[in-house]
Amino acid sequence: MSAPGQQEPGPTAAPERTAGPEPKKGFAAELKGAVTPRAALLVIGVLLLQLGFVTSYVGALHQPKPHELSIAVVAPPQVAPQLVQGLESVPDNAVKASTAPDAESATQRLKDQEIYAALVVNPASTEDVLLVANARGTSAAKAAESIVTGLEKSQGRTVVVQDVVPLAKGDANGLSSFYLVIGWCVGGYLVASILGVSAGAKPANTHRALIRLGTLALYSLAAGIGGALIVQTILDALPGPFWALSAVGALVVFAVGAFTMAMQCLFDIIGIGVAVLLFVVLGNPSAGGVFPPPLMPPFWRAIGAWFPNGAGTDATRSIAYFDGTALTQPLLVLLAWALVGVGITFAAVLGRPSRLSRELVKG
């Protein structure tokens, strides 16, 4: 205690610290802080996706060769077996030959998408007719023309080509249906990815899951109508019934979006990469847009029709040019992807422990 009249000393002030430079971190520490192990794994995953993209596209499209290209022969009974054998003898199983009773039935098989070409022999002349359907793929028609021309030349005959299902004026290369479906697929996985990134990869409960799927359904309807409006009304690129084309588009978008949503529920952000792998790396090159299945290598030929990209392209082309023939399988494929996506999404949400159970576990 201080003497009377003396001021009691206050608390001793802490010595002032002089601000100096922070100690330098080593490069390894800086690298660890800048790139986390999770980020490094994601970067490696992106690299693998990129390399897979190059491998898939170049592998599917760099060297088209016909394999079991279906060609029917219309010829007198004494000539038909020789022509069928000649087509079947083309190396590498390039042709799958059959016979048709007349030109009308062969034309109908072309319109029903059962064959890619038909050789109609004229016994009274040395000039025959090759029936093709360019709407099903110009590359397939050209491949059939090349094969048949070689066979006819070896027998001292010539052939003229007749296109029984021509392409629309605004669809010069026959790629409009393919690019339309690619656009629909891109919209499907992008909108599902945005919903997952903005509000969590997995919906919090079944009500949230329903809201997300409802939002996806509304988006799909808008995307289907918008795509059909662009390719038909604005660009005049595809013929066919407008609402049927819109409905297929909506189903494509919803199928891709629902499955992408399901992958996010299972794998979080990595689910977006899984969707890109399926729909971009594998689905697009195998869809039969640039080259139809008989001109693609075995792997892509086998998987194409079972992805939304290929099923959507087949369905769109069928509606635009073939009066809806051979439409059942593509629609069932699209419906299956949509149902699997919805089912996995709800299963993942229902399998998530409730807040009460999580609190009980913590307690």
Side-chain angles (χ1 to χ4, degrees):
M1 180 178 287
S2 304
Q6 287 185 334
Q7 187 176 0
E8 197 167 310
T12 306
E16 186 177 344
R17 295 182 62 183
T18 305
E22 293 185 3
K24 291 184 177 180
K25 296 181 180 178
F27 177 76
E30 291 285 0
L31 180 62
K32 187 176 180 181
V35 182
T36 63
R38 183 170 184 266
L41 289 174
L42 290 174
V43 169
I44 293 171
V46 170
L47 175 61
L48 293 176
L49 275 178
Q50 177 184 334
L51 297 178
F53 181 95
V54 174
T55 302
S56 187
Y57 276 73
V58 177
L61 307 176
H62 78 292
Q63 194 177 12
K65 293 191 301 183
H67 176 79
E68 295 189 351
L69 184 68
S70 52
I71 301 177
V73 174
V74 179
Q78 64 271 22
V79 178
Q82 179 184 353
L83 290 173
V84 169
Q85 184 179 1
L87 290 171
E88 293 277 4
S89 65
V90 177
D92 301 322
N93 294 322
V95 178
K96 183 179 181 181
S98 61
T99 58
D102 50 50
E104 288 76 14
S105 61
T107 299
Q108 190 58 49
R109 289 178 66 186
L110 277 165
K111 292 180 178 180
D112 291 340
Q113 303 185 73
E114 295 177 2
I115 56 175
Y116 280 92
L119 173 61
V120 181
V121 176
N122 183 1
S125 172
T126 59
E127 184 179 82
D128 300 326
V129 177
L130 179 67
L131 304 178
V132 299
N134 273 315
R136 201 174 176 198
T138 56
S139 54
K142 290 177 181 177
E145 181 181 356
S146 176
I147 291 169
V148 170
T149 299
L151 178 64
E152 292 277 275
K153 187 176 180 181
S154 68
Q155 298 180 357
R157 303 180 67 83
T158 59
V159 64
V160 294
V161 178
Q162 180 180 338
D163 187 3
V164 298
V165 189
L167 290 164
K169 185 178 179 182
D171 189 20
N173 296 314
L175 295 175
S176 296
S177 56
F178 172 58
Y179 288 128
L180 173 61
V181 171
I182 287 181
W184 280 332
C185 289
V186 169
Y189 66 73
L190 280 182
V191 72
S193 301
I194 290 171
L195 289 172
V197 170
S198 62
K202 185 187 296 186
N205 51 52
T206 54
H207 296 293
R208 296 285 181 87
L210 280 172
I211 291 171
R212 285 197 195 183
L213 289 169
T215 302
L216 175 62
L218 290 174
Y219 175 90
S220 300
L221 288 173
I225 294 171
L229 186 68
I230 290 171
V231 298
Q232 286 198 332
T233 307
I234 298 176
L235 299 179
D236 195 22
L238 284 179
F242 175 85
W243 290 112
L245 196 64
S246 300
V248 166
L251 184 55
V252 169
V253 176
F254 187 82
V256 172
F259 198 86
T260 302
M261 193 177 296
M263 292 301 98
Q264 290 181 93
C265 288
L266 293 179
F267 307 114
D268 205 323
I269 194 172
I270 297 175
I272 299 175
V274 174
V276 171
L277 171 65
L278 292 173
F279 303 127
V280 179
V281 175
L282 296 176
N284 281 348
S286 65
V290 179
F291 299 121
L295 270 69
M296 288 192 291
F299 173 74
W300 291 271
R301 183 169 63 243
I303 68 172
W306 305 106
F307 278 84
N309 318 56
T313 300
D314 289 342
T316 301
R317 186 181 288 137
S318 176
I319 289 170
Y321 291 110
F322 295 95
D323 296 326
T325 61
L327 196 56
T328 302
Q329 178 179 316
L331 292 181
L332 288 176
V333 169
L334 292 170
L335 186 61
W337 281 86
L339 292 176
V340 169
V342 172
I344 292 176
T345 298
F346 277 111
V349 172
L350 292 172
R352 165 184 269 176
S354 65
R355 180 181 299 178
L356 177 59
S357 61
R358 288 197 299 268
E359 290 176 354
L360 289 174
V361 170
K362 288 181 181 179

